[in-house]
Amino acid sequence: MKLPQIGRLAAGPRNSIADVAGVGVGHCTLAAGAVQTGVTVVVPHGDNPFTHKLPAAVAVINGFGKSAGLVQIEELGTLESPIALTNTFAVGTVLTAQVRHAIARNPECGRGQPTVNAVVMECNDGYLNDLHAFAVQEQHFEHALAACGPDFAQGAVGAGRGMSSFEMKGGIGSASRLAGRYTVGALVLSNFGKLPDLVLDGRPLGRELAARAASDAAPEQGSIIIIIATDAPLEARQLKRLAVRAGAGLARTGSVYGHGSGDIALAFSTAGAGEPLADHVFDPLFHAVADSVEQAIVNALFAAEGVVGRDGHQRRALRDLLNEGN
């Protein structure tokens, strides 16, 4: 089965969040036995985000999560740090690393200048990864940050190394869509879903796969973090509207935002100061968000390799299951 192209809109040249100029992504992957985890960092531009803040907004689709930095974004509507993704138990460590990095670039941070609102977002990779090992250290954030650029791997890499989707291997996925003169890009940390619920480009593929692959009866308790970037000139209120539409792309894949699922979208604009777009021209942007989020989830599934981790737990790759059916 070929990787499907979701929706009617064209993708950018990389079909990733990095099609929004200035955005970069980097990973640090930890893959050794029971340790299957890592850090992924998204930088919003090449400048110092603490001094060159961007408009941003958050939509909490389902709030079963332990992220840091979202309250101030909700209040002030600005992003002033890179966005770091990791596992649930590593949020504190990566937050400290983020703050140290901000202080190194801005020595008066927390003294003559305000404190930094560092953003760290998480999903629970404890099925494959030994969370009790606390393997993620501050230097892993630095490694991921140093690796940030427009070209990056997807699948079982960085923060996505230990993540599961639809009882298969999940992880990092990214995509972009062109909405007229503007670009919308999405990056997901995909860690949600039950196999029978999987819908792939409108096809109930999960039902077909469940007939030949094991699916347990446990409730869906995964999560997904969705990052939306655009070069459209938008203010925080308008970015909130974009972030809410991430739920449309998520729902198309078969998610019902389960009780134990932490489903959170963060949207930011890289456009400089200027007149924001009028709300009545937003529909192409809404389509671009929904399509790029759905495509990013699909890309994570197709890119991920199978992983064996803690206590012999394993997640198989979607492409391996598809090949078995041929």
Side-chain angles (χ1 to χ4, degrees):
M1 179 180 183
K2 287 180 57 178
L3 174 68
Q5 168 78 12
I6 302 298
R8 296 179 286 103
L9 299 178
R14 290 185 173 88
N15 196 15
S16 84
I17 194 171
D19 286 323
V20 178
V23 177
V25 178
H27 305 297
C28 180
T29 304
L30 307 180
V35 173
Q36 302 289 333
T37 192
V39 180
T40 294
V41 175
V42 180
V43 292
H45 53 58
D47 294 323
N48 183 345
F50 185 65
T51 56
H52 293 79
K53 297 174 176 54
L54 295 180
V58 173
V60 178
I61 301 166
N62 195 70
F64 203 104
K66 287 83 177 171
S67 299
L70 303 187
V71 172
Q72 185 168 313
I73 291 178
E74 181 70 20
E75 183 69 20
L76 301 184
T78 56
L79 176 67
E80 60 182 44
S81 82
I83 301 164
L85 308 176
T86 191
N87 74 61
T88 306
F89 282 5
V91 169
T93 299
V94 175
L95 179 62
T96 299
Q98 279 260 54
V99 173
R100 289 192 201 279
H101 175 76
I103 291 172
R105 296 191 73 180
N106 309 277
E108 284 299 303
C109 177
R111 292 182 173 172
Q113 294 178 307
T115 56
V116 65
N117 182 52
V119 177
V120 184
M121 305 174 79
E122 55 77 35
C123 290
N124 184 345
D125 59 11
Y127 182 77
L128 289 174
N129 174 54
D130 181 7
L131 286 168
H132 291 184
F134 292 92
V136 172
Q137 301 297 312
E138 290 183 37
Q139 67 264 28
H140 299 133
F141 165 79
E142 292 290 346
H143 292 165
L145 182 64
C148 282
D151 299 309
F152 57 93
Q154 299 184 42
V157 293
R161 178 64 190 178
M163 303 299 172
S164 305
S165 276
F166 297 100
E167 301 177 84
M168 297 176 290
K169 191 66 196 70
I172 297 290
S174 192
S176 69
R177 291 294 183 268
L178 305 180
R181 52 189 289 207
Y182 302 114
T183 300
V184 172
L187 182 138
V188 301
L189 179 61
S190 185
N191 189 55
F192 75 98
K194 300 292 292 183
L195 180 58
D197 297 331
L198 172 62
V199 177
L200 191 64
D201 195 20
R203 173 184 170 186
L205 182 65
R207 299 181 206 169
E208 302 169 28
L209 293 177
R212 61 176 186 265
S215 175
D216 61 50
E220 199 273 303
Q221 293 184 330
S223 299
I224 186 169
I225 302 299
I226 304 168
I227 310 300
I228 303 293
T230 184
D231 55 9
L234 305 177
E235 59 188 12
R237 176 189 63 81
Q238 296 172 313
L239 287 163
K240 178 86 165 188
R241 301 188 73 201
L242 258 62
V244 167
R245 268 63 183 189
L250 175 58
R252 288 178 189 170
T253 67
S255 173
V256 295
Y257 323 148
H259 161 71
S261 191
D263 306 329
I264 300 170
L266 187 158
F268 65 89
S269 169
T270 63
E275 187 69 23
L277 291 180
D279 288 338
H280 70 269
V281 300
F282 268 39
D283 279 357
L285 294 174
F286 292 159
H287 277 282
V289 169
D291 287 355
S292 61
V293 169
E294 183 181 3
Q295 185 76 67
I297 295 168
V298 171
N299 287 354
L301 285 168
F302 271 81
E305 62 182 354
V307 170
V308 178
R310 177 181 67 85
D311 298 330
H313 291 174
Q314 63 178 312
R315 291 299 191 197
R316 302 183 65 192
L318 170 63
R319 61 175 179 262
D320 293 338
L321 289 172
L322 292 173
N323 288 337
E324 287 180 2
N326 295 332

